[in-house]
């Protein structure tokens, strides 16, 4: 068994879609980034990469590479899962928290979990997606951006 942890944050900006867990959530502003800026999926990717000793998403998919421009982060997650599989590792479960002031994400969390579970090849019940506000505190609380945290448990593998 291996545990991985991932964190990510992105700035909110007008004229962008708010993509979280592969879902386009209705919002006046969306997350700014080179890819679709799916902060939740990025945190999950980093957790898996960390667990298998494979660095992080910025090193794997540099934002200077036009190949990743506007790319769906679910495709990046697919590649990360493949990379873990090459090392003999598969994800057992994931737990995550998104921190965002608005909009309210509760109606979308189940579908986000299903999207992530589908790519990981595990039941949606093994993917936790939770959402909180930052109670108005700090940069996230002021609505400047969103953050996400993820922990993942992997099984198998021949990682040294
Ligand atoms: Mg990111």
């Amino acid at each position: 068994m291996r545990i991985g942890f991932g964190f990510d944050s992105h700035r909110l900006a007008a004229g962008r879609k708010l993509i979280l867990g592969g879902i386009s959530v209705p919002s006046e502003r969306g997350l700014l980034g080179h890819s679709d800026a799916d902060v939740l999926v990025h945190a999950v990717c980093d957790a898996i990469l960390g667990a298998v000793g494979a660095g992080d998403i910025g090193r794997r998919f540099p934002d200077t590479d036009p190949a990743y421009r506007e790319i769906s982060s679910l495709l990046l997650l697919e590649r990360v899962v493949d990379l873990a599989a090459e090392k003999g590792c598969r994800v057992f479960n994931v737990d995550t928290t998104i921190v965002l002031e608005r909009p309210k994400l509760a109606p979308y969390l189940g579908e986000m979990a299903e999207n992530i579970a589908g790519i990981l090849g595990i039941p949606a019940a093994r993917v936790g997606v939770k959402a909180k506000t930052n109670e108005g505190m700090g940069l996230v609380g002021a609505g400047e951006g969103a953050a996400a945290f993820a922990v993942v448990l992997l099984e198998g593998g021949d990682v040294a």
Side-chain angles (χ1 to χ4, degrees):
M1 293 287 194
R2 289 181 164 260
I3 293 171
F5 170 76
F7 167 79
D8 195 29
S9 61
H10 281 263
R11 189 177 287 276
L12 279 163
R16 290 276 301 184
K17 283 186 179 174
L18 177 60
I19 308 290
L20 292 168
I23 307 246
S24 183
V25 177
S27 171
E28 290 168 2
R29 298 184 302 160
L31 296 172
L32 196 58
H34 183 68
S35 66
D36 65 2
D38 190 328
V39 69
L40 172 62
V41 171
H42 290 184
V44 173
C45 286
D46 262 7
I48 296 170
L49 290 170
V52 300
D56 61 51
I57 195 170
R59 263 194 274 168
R60 288 275 156 194
F61 312 110
D63 63 9
T64 49
D65 188 335
Y68 304 122
R69 192 170 136 75
E70 303 291 331
I71 195 172
S72 166
S73 296
L74 291 176
L75 295 175
L76 302 182
L77 179 59
E78 257 178 31
R79 293 194 205 176
V80 167
V81 168
D82 288 346
L83 200 143
E86 283 166 20
K87 293 173 178 280
C89 292
R90 62 187 172 275
V91 172
F92 181 80
N93 79 306
V94 185
D95 192 20
T96 67
T97 299
I98 307 165
V99 192
L100 177 68
E101 289 301 301
R102 68 184 67 83
K104 292 290 177 206
L105 300 177
Y108 310 101
L109 299 179
E111 209 180 329
M112 292 179 199
E114 280 174 23
N115 281 348
I116 292 168
I119 288 169
L120 300 180
I122 60 177
R126 282 198 242 149
V127 178
V129 182
K130 308 181 297 298
K132 308 176 75 71
T133 72
N134 210 37
E135 299 279 340
M137 297 180 290
L139 299 175
V140 170
E144 287 193 29
F149 302 84
V151 286
V152 61
L153 186 66
L154 287 90
E155 52 188 0
D158 48 8
V159 183

